[in-house]
Amino acid sequence: MPAPLSRKIGQKKQRLADSEQQQTPKERLLSTPGLRRSIYFSSPEDHSGRLGPEFFDQPAVTLARAFLGQVLVRRLADGTELRGRIVETEAYLGPEDEAAHSRGGRQTPRNRGMFMKPGTLYVYLIYGMYFCLNVSSQGAGACVLLRALEPLEGLETMRQLRNSLRKSTVGRSLKDRELCSGPSKLCQALAIDKSFDQRDLAQDDAVWLEHGPLESSSPAVVVAAARIGIGHAGEWTQKPLRFYVQGSPWVSVVDRVAEQMDQPQQTACSEGLLIVQK
DNA sequence: GGCCCGATGGGCT
DNA sequence: GCCCATCGGGCCA
């Protein structure tokens, strides 16, 4: 006899919980009380630098660009740290932006995070089954959507988290490129759900942003392209408010036309190490 | 590779 | 009652 739906959902939730419980010996070590007491510069590697509130206090477009190259960190309940370099973002500008949830100044319980101080997370459910992670920027109702990460640390845990949420868990194993190449994929891979809504990315113990390592090789060129999945927003549909690292294999959708267009606004990521004028 | 389409449920009109 | 800032599987080239 097939399990009732409610029980199936319960089993799904249990699998999620289980996946957070599964620990390698190293992860068990990290989760011992003495080692998990503080995440703030408690070990040498933490000196890489957590980004504070001032970083988020800039307009949506510049923040969306500034995010590229920075490292998003998620610390699970068991102490496991997952890291991914941000390679793709979208800016949503606020009331005038017809594609934004805050269009026309709409402020509801759901989108309250968009109107809170810069650095506040706005996490919402989409299509009944997925989450999207946004970060409030300067400007009322403006925010940045995080669309793709290059997974750096904790890839096997990310794979488990992603697999536990897929229907055919017996199917093929996910490739590294499939772990975080989309706004809802990265939420699955980092175990980010609605409970993260309205948290402060500059203060939270379970999720934060770190300075990306300074580029040693060639600086990345940033492509400005149209945003994804907003076909209903009139003139706003085509505005180049999606930003991604050109050539990165971790990006969710490549826009060849935008890459070939003359884009004088294209710049290198990470704090203007290089300005590229094509 | 590209295109098509079903899943799925909270939010909003 | 419709919309939706998505994803993954199936199919075809």
Side-chain angles (χ1 to χ4, degrees), chain A residues 13 44 52 56-57 82 92 121 134 152 155 175 245 259:
Chain A
K13 283 181 178 167
F56 304 102
D57 191 13
L82 309 174
Y92 288 84
L121 300 184
N134 300 257
L152 298 176
L155 273 71
K175 295 170 188 158
V245 177
E259 290 184 9

Side-chain angles (χ1 to χ4, degrees), chain A residues 19-37:
Chain A
S19 67
E20 284 224 25
Q21 293 299 318
Q22 291 169 4
Q23 295 181 8
T24 65
K26 185 188 174 192
E27 288 165 347
R28 272 193 294 277
L29 178 68
L30 285 170
S31 67
T32 55
L35 289 171
R36 68 189 299 185
R37 194 176 302 127

Side-chain angles (χ1 to χ4, degrees), chain A residues 22-220:
Chain A
Q22 291 169 4
Q23 295 181 8
T24 65
K26 185 188 174 192
E27 288 165 347
R28 272 193 294 277
L29 178 68
L30 285 170
S31 67
T32 55
L35 289 171
R36 68 189 299 185
R37 194 176 302 127
S38 173
I39 61 164
Y40 296 108
F41 311 107
S42 58
S43 61
E45 58 265 34
D46 285 341
H47 285 296
S48 56
R50 174 180 182 141
L51 290 162
E54 65 286 347
F55 173 79
F56 304 102
D57 191 13
Q58 46 185 323
V61 168
T62 52
L63 181 61
R65 289 173 169 275
F67 265 132
L68 299 178
Q70 314 299 354
V71 176
L72 184 65
V73 188
R74 166 79 167 98
R75 186 184 177 91
L76 301 178
D78 68 4
T80 306
E81 289 187 0
L82 309 174
R83 281 183 166 76
R85 191 196 324 271
I86 297 169
V87 297
E88 182 182 352
T89 60
E90 283 179 2
Y92 288 84
L93 306 192
E96 77 271 25
D97 185 347
E98 284 299 314
H101 289 176
S102 55
R103 61 188 173 278
R106 289 173 171 80
Q107 194 170 348
T108 66
R110 177 177 68 140
N111 71 5
R112 182 148 185 278
M114 299 179 83
F115 293 88
M116 293 170 68
K117 71 174 177 179
T120 303
L121 300 184
Y122 168 41
V123 180
Y124 65 89
L125 180 70
I126 187 162
Y127 296 107
M129 19 183 353
Y130 301 112
F131 294 101
C132 289
L133 173 64
N134 300 257
V135 183
S136 177
S137 71
Q138 199 179 84
C143 69
V144 175
L145 169 69
L146 303 187
R147 283 196 56 91
L149 308 176
E150 171 186 349
L152 298 176
E153 188 182 318
L155 273 71
E156 288 318 305
T157 303
M158 292 181 190
R159 216 181 312 273
Q160 285 176 18
L161 286 162
R162 289 271 288 122
N163 267 320
S164 70
L165 291 161
R166 293 197 309 158
K167 268 182 246 168
S168 56
T169 48
V170 289
R172 67 194 172 81
S173 180
L174 288 167
K175 295 170 188 158
D176 290 355
R177 283 169 61 158
E178 296 173 300
L179 293 177
C180 303
S181 56
S184 297
K185 293 179 187 177
L186 73 86
C187 284
Q188 289 182 346
L190 300 190
I192 288 171
D193 59 20
K194 189 74 177 172
S195 71
F196 284 76
D197 189 41
Q198 298 183 18
R199 292 210 210 176
D200 185 354
L201 192 52
Q203 297 286 333
D204 202 83
D205 286 350
V207 63
W208 65 93
L209 198 65
E210 288 176 356
H211 251 299
L214 290 177
E215 281 73 9
S216 51
S217 55
S218 59

